[in-house]
């Protein structure tokens, strides 16, 4: 018994020794998270660094003695999150508040849209802006270039729109200006003031990218969708347009142009994505001198060389530029710039037949006469739609009903081309703005 008792006492003592050994050994590693949190507190209290700076400082301090086989992710531990939230509540009342070390939500992206309006284009331009706001999801900044008499009219009309609409956009009105050459000559180049678009990279120096549209353009789906095409640009592309035509045999440039043009059928500039930063920094090949020229230095000499051979003004100059620099242009399909030419000679825009029209371009004045009633039906419905009404009942259904009166025309015989994206977009807008809103507030 004595022997068994001694063995038992020895076993108990040995067990206690092992327990104390492992307990003490593990405890030596516990202070690391506390030390990180303490040093973060010190940094936040002194200079309010950003989360990325805190992360780099902590990593530098502990990278000298890494634990073997352990990947450090101290920035994601629960202790760090609690400390970050605590530090984010304090700060300087004057606006230098300590930034939380947790993940911050990125500022909402703002899209930029430019338009040039002169003469009697006030109502048409406002209808275009209205269509962009009805369907788009992100906020939009409008850059409106207008003749002096139109500027106060734009302000008056835009400022009358309901608050729930005006909260989704901001606008700036600019005078018509041309940085090189004869201003009056540029102003009368084609349609009044249309050449202004050529000078957007020079004037809007604080804008990185934008979508330019003619006044006779209507959005039938969110502007967000064409804006996303910027992500499809490769390293050399700095602008995007649609082909002037899909069929060379009936295309204007392929039959009548007396100057160089892009590709087989040329491009139409009524809807144009522009990476202004790239345009400003690029050097363009040209047919005048061996050296490359900047965008601003290129415009006036190019106009002087071809002014007796161009018909469509600034659009022709753009075709010449991208003929010499084809690697700079991204081509998007015809449904993003759908014009009467795509249906008045028979349907020749396969993208629209499949997916519907995304952007309607009512050139040739078709919104204001009876030559292409299918286009006029859409324009009238958007122009007359009250912002406060239900879009399905007061916009989509009237368009659908009035299309019955256009079936005897070539463009009216394919109503699904005009209606498909409108219906799809209205459902998407409803889901984004109503269904999702209800879910978030349950």
């Amino acid at each position: 018994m004595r022997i068994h008792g001694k063995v038992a006492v020895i076993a108990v003592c040995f067990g206690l020794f092992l327990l104390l050994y492992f307990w003490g050994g593990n405890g030596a590693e516990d202070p690391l998270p506390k030390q990180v949190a303490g040093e973060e507190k010190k940094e936040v209290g002194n200079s309010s660094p950003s989360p990325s700076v805190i992360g780099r400082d902590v990593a530098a301090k502990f990278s000298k003695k890494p634990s073997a086989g352990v990947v450090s992710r101290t920035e994601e531990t629960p202790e760090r999150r609690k400390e970050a939230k605590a530090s984010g509540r304090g700060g300087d009342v004057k606006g230098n508040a300590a930034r939380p070390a947790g993940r911050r939500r990125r500022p909402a992206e703002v899209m930029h849209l430019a338009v040039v309006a002169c003469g009697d284009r006030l109502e048409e331009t406002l209808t275009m802006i209205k269509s962009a706001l009805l369907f788009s999801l992100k906020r939009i900044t409008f850059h409106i270039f207008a003749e002096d008499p139109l500027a106060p009219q734009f302000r008056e009309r835009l400022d009358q729109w309901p608050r729930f609409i005006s909260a989704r956009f901001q606008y700036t009105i600019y005078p018509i200006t041309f940085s090189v050459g004869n201003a009056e000559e540029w102003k009368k180049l084609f349609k009044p003031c249309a050449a202004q678009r050529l000078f957007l990279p020079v004037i809007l120096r604080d804008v990185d990218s934008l979508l330019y549209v003619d006044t006779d353009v209507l959005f039938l789906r969110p502007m967000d969708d064409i804006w996303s095409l910027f992500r499809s640009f490769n390293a050399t592309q700095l602008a995007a347009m649609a082909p002037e035509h899909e069929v060379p045999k009936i295309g204007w440039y392929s039959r009548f142009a007396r100057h160089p043009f892009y590709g087989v059928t040329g491009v139409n500039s009524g809807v144009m994505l522009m990476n202004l930063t790239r345009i400003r920094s690029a050097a363009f090949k040209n047919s005048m001198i061996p050296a490359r020229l900047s965008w601003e230095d290129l415009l006036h000499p190019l106009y002087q060389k071809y002014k007796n051979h161009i018909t469509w003004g600034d659009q022709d100059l753009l075709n010449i530029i991208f003929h010499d620099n084809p690697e700079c242009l991204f081509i998007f399909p015809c449904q993003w710039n759908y014009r009467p030419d795509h249906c008045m000679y028979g349907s020749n825009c396969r993208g629209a037949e499949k997916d519907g029209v995304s952007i309607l371009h009512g050139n040739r004045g078709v919104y204001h006469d009876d030559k292409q009633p299918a286009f006029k039906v859409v324009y009238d419905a958007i122009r007359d739609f009250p912002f406060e009404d239900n879009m399905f009942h007061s916009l989509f259904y009237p368009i659908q009903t009035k299309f019955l009166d256009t079936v005897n025309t070539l463009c009216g015989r394919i109503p699904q081309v005009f209606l498909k994206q409108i219906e799809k977009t209205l459902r998407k807008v409803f889901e984004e703005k109503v269904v999702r809103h209800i879910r978030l507030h349950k």
Side-chain angles (χ1 to χ4, degrees):
M1 290 295 293
R2 291 179 180 178
I3 295 174
H4 289 294
K6 291 179 180 180
V7 171
V9 171
I10 292 170
V12 170
C13 292
F14 185 69
L16 289 173
F17 173 76
L18 290 176
L19 182 63
L20 290 172
Y21 174 79
F22 286 112
W23 185 24
N26 290 338
E29 296 180 0
D30 285 344
L32 181 57
K34 296 180 181 179
Q35 186 177 6
V36 171
E39 294 193 11
E40 183 184 2
K41 282 183 180 179
K42 183 178 179 181
E43 293 289 337
V44 171
N46 289 339
S47 58
S48 303
S50 66
S52 59
V53 173
I54 294 173
R56 288 197 301 270
D57 290 344
V58 172
K61 290 175 182 177
F62 292 96
S63 61
K64 295 180 182 179
K65 297 181 180 179
S67 300
V70 177
V71 178
S72 175
R73 294 184 61 82
T74 55
E75 68 276 12
E76 294 184 3
T77 62
E79 291 84 357
R80 284 279 294 203
R81 292 194 196 99
K82 291 178 181 178
E83 294 292 342
K85 289 179 182 178
S87 65
R89 295 190 188 104
D92 189 348
V93 178
K94 294 181 180 180
N96 297 322
R99 298 177 182 176
R103 182 178 295 177
R104 291 174 297 166
R105 184 176 297 176
R106 289 183 179 180
E109 183 182 10
V110 177
M111 303 179 291
H112 292 261
L113 187 148
V115 65
V116 180
C118 290
D120 59 354
R121 298 300 178 111
L122 174 70
E123 196 70 40
E124 196 173 79
T125 306
L126 289 169
T127 305
M128 179 277 294
I129 294 173
K130 186 177 183 181
S131 73
L133 292 171
L134 286 176
F135 296 123
S136 294
L137 303 174
K138 298 189 188 77
R139 285 178 56 84
I140 305 175
T141 295
F142 294 101
H143 303 272
I144 304 170
F145 292 80
E147 288 180 306
D148 292 341
L150 290 180
Q153 298 179 58
F154 272 114
R155 292 191 190 94
E156 180 182 3
R157 295 286 295 275
L158 291 171
D159 292 345
Q160 289 176 353
W161 285 359
R163 183 174 297 179
F164 74 92
I165 291 293
S166 61
R168 296 173 50 204
F169 75 96
Q170 60 184 18
Y171 69 89
T172 303
I173 299 176
Y174 307 82
I176 302 297
T177 54
F178 303 97
S179 60
V180 295
N182 186 303
E184 287 302 315
E185 198 171 9
W186 281 118
K187 192 174 181 179
K188 299 175 182 177
L189 181 59
F190 178 49
K191 291 181 180 178
C193 309
Q196 181 72 79
R197 90 184 81 183
L198 297 174
F199 295 87
L200 296 180
V202 180
I203 299 170
L204 302 177
R205 292 193 175 276
D206 294 330
V207 178
D208 174 68
S209 299
L210 61 77
L211 172 66
Y212 167 87
V213 296
D214 287 345
T215 61
D216 51 9
V217 157
L218 293 173
F219 292 87
L220 304 188
R221 69 187 288 181
M223 177 182 159
D224 311 57
D225 295 335
I226 189 170
W227 188 262
S228 68
L229 293 180
F230 275 119
R231 295 196 290 268
S232 299
F233 282 23
N234 65 26
T236 64
Q237 291 166 338
L238 46 76
M241 288 182 274
E244 171 66 19
H245 216 285
E246 304 302 302
V247 184
K249 291 182 179 180
I250 55 178
W252 192 92
Y253 284 106
S254 51
R255 292 186 295 163
F256 305 118
R258 297 183 294 158
H259 58 78
F261 56 89
Y262 178 89
V264 179
T265 61
V267 286
N268 184 281
S269 61
V271 179
M272 182 178 180
L273 289 168
M274 305 175 74
N275 185 316
L276 303 184
T277 300
R278 290 188 178 185
I279 292 175
R280 284 188 287 264
S281 61
F284 295 89
K285 299 188 294 288
N286 61 91
S287 59
M288 296 170 292
I289 60 174
R292 295 182 176 229
L293 294 172
S294 69
W295 183 267
E296 187 174 14
D297 293 336
L298 177 64
L299 294 177
H300 192 247
L302 201 66
Y303 168 68
Q304 290 295 323
K305 178 176 179 178
Y306 289 104
K307 65 179 180 180
N308 294 323
H309 302 283
I310 58 178
T311 303
W312 307 112
D314 53 302
Q315 177 174 289
D316 291 346
L317 293 179
L318 289 168
N319 266 280
I320 296 168
I321 292 172
F322 290 112
H323 169 272
D324 295 332
N325 302 270
E327 73 283 359
C328 294
L329 190 63
F330 176 88
I331 297 295
F332 51 71
C334 50
Q335 63 263 34
W336 293 103
N337 188 352
Y338 190 88
R339 292 166 287 115
D341 304 69
H342 290 115
C343 54
M344 60 190 294
Y345 304 116
S347 181
N348 55 62
C349 178
R350 292 182 181 179
E353 292 172 10
K354 178 183 177 182
D355 301 320
V357 174
S358 297
I359 294 181
L360 194 68
H361 186 180
N363 64 337
R364 302 176 183 267
V366 294
Y367 294 150
H368 312 294
D369 58 33
D370 296 321
K371 293 180 180 179
Q372 297 298 336
F375 283 75
K376 191 173 188 298
V377 162
V378 179
Y379 175 81
D380 289 347
I382 293 176
R383 181 197 61 197
D384 299 336
F385 171 73
F387 280 114
E388 296 84 357
D389 281 11
N390 180 282
M391 292 178 69
F392 266 109
H393 291 290
S394 301
L395 182 63
F396 177 71
Y397 293 143
I399 293 175
Q400 193 177 42
T401 301
K402 291 178 182 178
F403 250 97
L404 296 174
D405 299 328
T406 72
V407 294
N408 61 331
T409 67
L410 284 171
C411 292
R413 290 197 307 190
I414 46 175
Q416 70 279 5
V417 168
F418 292 82
L419 298 174
K420 186 178 292 187
Q421 274 298 331
I422 299 178
E423 182 177 14
K424 182 179 178 181
T425 298
L426 290 182
R427 293 188 186 281
K428 183 177 180 180
V429 170
F430 179 79
E431 291 172 0
E432 287 284 339
K433 297 182 179 179
V434 180
V435 177
R436 183 170 174 269
H437 179 78
I438 292 173
R439 288 173 181 168
L440 289 173
H441 288 79
K442 277 186 177 180

